[in-house]
Amino acid sequence: MKAARNGELTREIKTVAEDEGVSAEFVRKRVAEGRIIIACNVKRRNVHPIGIGEGLRTKVNANVGTSPDFHNIEVEVEKAKVAVKYGADTVMDLSTAGDLDSIRRAILKAVNVPVGTVPIYQAAIESIKKRGAIVDMTEDDIFNIIEKHAKDGVDFMTLHCGVTKRTVERIARHPRLMGIVSRGGTFIAAWILHNKKENPLYSNYDYLLEIAKEYDFTLSLGDGLRPGSIFDATDWLQMQELLTIGELVERARKACVQSMVEGPGHLPLNQIEANVKLEKSICKGAPFYVLGPIVTEIAPGYDHIVAAIGGAIAGLAGADFICYVTPAEHLGLPMVEDVREGVIAAKIAAHAVDIVKLGDKSLDLEMSKARASLNWKRQLELALDPERAREIYKRVKSKSPGCSMCGDYCAIKILKEALGSKASCI
């Protein structure tokens, strides 16, 4: 951000501009304003810089990570690789069991996309081991872990700085069906209530900015009070946290630290656009990173589809970054195939947004031409998931030039024959 404000066209700015098909000056100006962030820690040598924000393609994040019930470093590395293979722009390690340092470092080494983490998880887990409880972790415990992640090369970190003592103490006055569903938000809230002190990430925010500036990682200001049910959407707690985050974005910009804002969560369809516009207004155009949103509660096993619906609406309203949701959401730890399906669903949503937002129709035009000419080889090449498309196409072999759905009754085939063999439908 400082380089951008000084008029410098850095390697990272030029790389993002080339990837996005825009001018380097376009990127530089918006990085300087805080409307675009470039996720790229100065310690990472193998990372390809990714731009997130206004005027750029809608990006997709994939979460991986262990749990106390299943922790295997090889599986998590494979998940990360599969996520990138199918189009994830970034990966987040949310591990809560096993050798957390080794898992994080293995993922950072295995992929060349920006990697994010949630440091409060490791701080809490280590506090349980050393002190017996999450609420007994010290401020030094939290900041030492943040700096450790920064030194390892983590490109962006979810930090629940907006969960304040004032807001947490009023939770009982604003009851929710689902309470707090953010793990990190709950850790911080419990710490505040037990210690009767302010959130260290809020009270020591200037120190956090110093660390972020030194390593040039991006603050992903976490929505610790996001709604976990459509019945808790856009309530007092969520809005209070967003107002606080708006102030923190401005302080980050003054310190030349990149920041983006995380958003809900569970929202009914008719509240998504308003939530995005509120964030963009309160946070002065900061990149908006949405989890879904989840738009209905009754689809376990299919929540990747639920989230893609919400993500498409959020992206069209101005959200910049979609966090995927897998079929395992609300049920269990995602495995490799869940990661693949989650990424594909989120990529479909992101691309559908970019058709409208950026006029990005070239691949869709090529696919339409291939369909019009019954060019199956080209159709399978252009598919977002060629392996899946090829598998379905080959299940039942058609005797006609069309697919096995219509066979000789293929509308495209019949019209071509009626127009004459030399006629083209394209």
Side-chain angles (χ1 to χ4, degrees):
M1 182 177 278
K2 185 176 180 180
R5 288 179 179 174
N6 288 337
E8 296 177 39
L9 297 178
T10 63
R11 178 188 69 86
E12 293 81 7
I13 286 173
K14 290 177 181 177
T15 300
V16 169
E18 185 177 350
D19 290 348
E20 300 285 341
V22 297
S23 72
E25 179 59 21
F26 175 92
V27 177
R28 184 203 66 77
K29 182 180 179 182
R30 281 159 180 75
V31 170
E33 295 171 343
R35 293 174 179 270
I36 286 176
I37 65 97
I38 298 179
C40 185
N41 186 317
V42 295
K43 292 288 185 181
R44 266 260 349 252
R45 300 300 181 193
N46 67 324
V47 66
H48 184 89
I50 294 292
I52 300 167
E54 187 178 290
L56 306 183
R57 289 181 298 107
T58 307
K59 303 305 189 299
V60 167
N61 174 70
N63 292 334
V64 300
T66 61
S67 80
D69 293 315
F70 183 85
H71 43 94
N72 182 303
I73 192 168
E74 288 79 17
V75 171
E76 297 313 319
V77 168
E78 180 63 16
K79 287 184 198 176
K81 288 180 176 179
V82 165
V84 174
K85 175 183 176 180
Y86 287 98
D89 298 287
T90 65
V91 170
M92 287 197 78
D93 172 26
L94 308 186
S95 293
T96 56
D99 186 338
L100 300 183
D101 292 333
S102 294
I103 294 165
R104 179 176 63 258
R105 290 163 187 164
I107 291 169
L108 282 161
K109 185 178 179 181
V111 299
N112 70 342
V113 301
V115 171
T117 59
V118 189
I120 196 69
Y121 292 177
Q122 187 170 4
I125 291 161
E126 291 191 3
S127 179
I128 292 172
K129 292 176 182 176
K130 288 190 289 187
R131 308 178 196 283
I134 290 172
V135 294
D136 292 328
M137 64 182 166
T138 67
E139 296 186 4
D140 283 345
D141 291 338
I142 297 170
F143 284 97
N144 287 340
I145 293 296
I146 290 171
E147 189 151 19
K148 178 188 278 193
H149 286 214
K151 286 178 177 178
D152 283 347
V154 171
D155 303 288
F156 63 101
M157 298 185 203
T158 293
L159 297 156
H160 303 86
C161 308
V163 181
T164 64
K165 184 171 181 285
R166 172 182 176 272
T167 304
V168 168
E169 288 176 342
R170 298 191 182 191
I171 286 176
R173 300 186 207 174
H174 303 277
R176 280 177 160 184
L177 183 63
M178 288 293 294
I180 303 176
V181 297
S182 160
R183 256 190 315 215
T186 302
F187 292 171
I188 293 291
W191 189 95
I192 290 169
L193 292 170
H194 177 81
N195 293 284
K196 297 180 172 53
K197 292 182 179 179
E198 184 55 272
N199 175 0
L201 295 171
Y202 181 76
S203 59
N204 297 293
Y205 189 64
D206 287 337
Y207 178 50
L208 175 62
L209 293 176
E210 288 177 19
I211 301 172
K213 192 171 182 179
E214 179 180 353
Y215 296 95
D216 204 16
F217 67 81
T218 297
L219 302 182
S220 189
L221 295 167
D223 50 344
L225 301 177
R226 68 177 179 267
S229 161
I230 59 172
F231 300 99
D232 296 329
T234 323
D235 67 354
W236 186 89
L237 294 172
Q238 181 193 339
M239 290 299 103
Q240 285 300 307
E241 183 181 28
L242 181 59
L243 289 168
T244 301
I245 287 173
E247 297 171 3
L248 298 176
V249 167
E250 291 195 48
R251 287 172 62 185
R253 287 176 176 175
K254 287 178 182 176
C256 286
V257 171
Q258 297 188 113
S259 64
M260 58 183 169
V261 177
E262 297 186 15
H266 292 234
L267 294 175
L269 288 174
N270 64 338
Q271 293 186 29
I272 294 174
E273 182 178 3
N275 269 260
V276 174
K277 289 185 174 178
L278 273 170
E279 184 277 341
K280 287 292 182 178
S281 176
I282 291 169
C283 301
K284 305 294 190 297
F288 197 24
Y289 176 21
V290 292
L291 177 61
I294 300 289
V295 297
T296 180
E297 308 296 338
I298 62 168
Y302 298 91
D303 275 323
H304 57 311
I305 298 172
V306 175
I309 293 168
I313 295 171
L316 198 58
D320 309 285
F321 194 20
I322 297 172
C323 187
Y324 87 161
V325 170
T326 75
E329 186 79 6
H330 302 113
L331 296 171
L333 186 73
M335 294 302 172
V336 173
E337 184 57 26
D338 300 315
V339 168
R340 175 188 176 186
E341 290 189 39
V343 170
I344 292 292
K347 287 294 288 186
I348 292 169
H351 180 68
V353 169
D354 291 342
I355 289 174
V356 178
K357 185 169 76 173
L358 303 177
D360 185 8
K361 302 177 183 177
S362 57
L363 289 176
D364 295 84
L365 179 59
E366 288 301 307
M367 179 65 89
S368 295
K369 288 179 177 179
R371 285 177 175 158
S373 60
L374 295 176
N375 183 342
W376 293 101
K377 180 175 181 293
R378 184 64 176 146
Q379 287 181 58
L380 297 175
E381 289 173 348
L382 290 165
L384 197 61
D385 184 350
E387 296 165 13
R388 176 71 170 149
R390 193 172 290 111
E391 174 195 333
I392 294 172
Y393 176 66
K394 289 183 175 180
R395 281 197 301 221
V396 179
K397 182 65 178 172
S398 177
K399 298 174 184 177
S400 83
C403 72
S404 58
M405 174 75 175
C406 297
D408 284 334
Y409 304 115
C410 172
I412 295 170
K413 170 182 171 291
I414 292 170
L415 180 59
K416 280 189 174 183
E417 290 171 351
L419 292 171
S421 59
K422 294 182 181 180
S424 174
C425 297
I426 301 174

